[in-house]
């Protein structure tokens, strides 16, 4: 079973997305801020990370940079989740090390396609 680390500080978004992903058969673990995401990536070794970009403590860009800089977690694919749809935001996420990019509100079919390409 594919394990996904869902990094989301908005409780409503976290609940909605996690329920939908669990229905599709994914194992979900959670982090609420960027530092917790880094710690959970190391301890849980998920198959994929869904990373909100607007997080407390450390934002998603910084957390992704640190995850990708660590040899133990660098190969974990990171999909950015953000409300920012502008091209420069996408490029910023990709420059930080994100492997894919999905805008909010999340369209589940599109997100599932992106998850599948890394599973």
């Amino acid at each position: 079973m594919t394990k996904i680390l869902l990094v989301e500080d908005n409780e409503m978004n976290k609940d909605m997305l996690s329920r939908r992903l669990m229905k599709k058969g994914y194992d979900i673990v959670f982090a609420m801020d960027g530092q917790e995401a880094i710690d959970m990536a190391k301890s849980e070794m998920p198959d994929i990370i869904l990373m909100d970009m607007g997080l407390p403590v450390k934002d998603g860009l910084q957390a992704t940079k640190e995850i990708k800089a660590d040899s133990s977690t660098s190969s974990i694919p990171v999909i950015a989740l953000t409300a920012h749809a502008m091209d420069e935001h996408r490029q910023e996420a990709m420059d930080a090390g994100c492997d894919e990019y999905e805008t909010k509100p999340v369209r589940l079919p599109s997100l599932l396609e992106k998850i599948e390409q890394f599973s």
Side-chain angles (χ1 to χ4, degrees), residues 34 38 51 53 58-68 96:
I38 296 163
M51 180 77 73
M53 291 291 106
K58 289 184 180 177
D59 69 17
L61 295 172
Q62 185 59 42
T64 298
K65 286 177 187 173
E66 292 186 36
I67 288 167
K68 291 297 189 172

Side-chain angles (χ1 to χ4, degrees), residues 5-8 30-44 46 49-52 55 58-60 63-64 67 73:
L5 171 56
L6 175 57
V7 187
E8 174 62 71
F30 303 101
M32 298 290 283
D33 64 55
Q35 185 58 56
E36 191 178 2
I38 296 163
D39 297 341
M40 292 288 287
K42 291 176 188 174
S43 66
E44 293 289 332
I49 299 171
L50 300 180
M51 180 77 73
D52 182 24
L55 295 167
K58 289 184 180 177
D59 69 17
T64 298
I67 288 167
T73 55

Side-chain angles (χ1 to χ4, degrees), residues 4-21:
I4 297 175
L5 171 56
L6 175 57
V7 187
E8 174 62 71
D9 64 323
N10 180 294
E11 200 65 42
M12 200 165 67
N13 288 345
K14 183 185 93 162
D15 289 347
M16 180 273 306
L17 190 53
S18 64
R19 275 196 315 270
R20 294 168 82 188
L21 291 169

Side-chain angles (χ1 to χ4, degrees), residues 7 42 45 50-51 64 70 75 80 113-114 118-119:
V7 187
K42 291 176 188 174
M45 293 306 293
L50 300 180
M51 180 77 73
T64 298
D70 186 319
S75 65
E113 274 182 35
K114 291 172 182 172
F118 297 113
S119 297

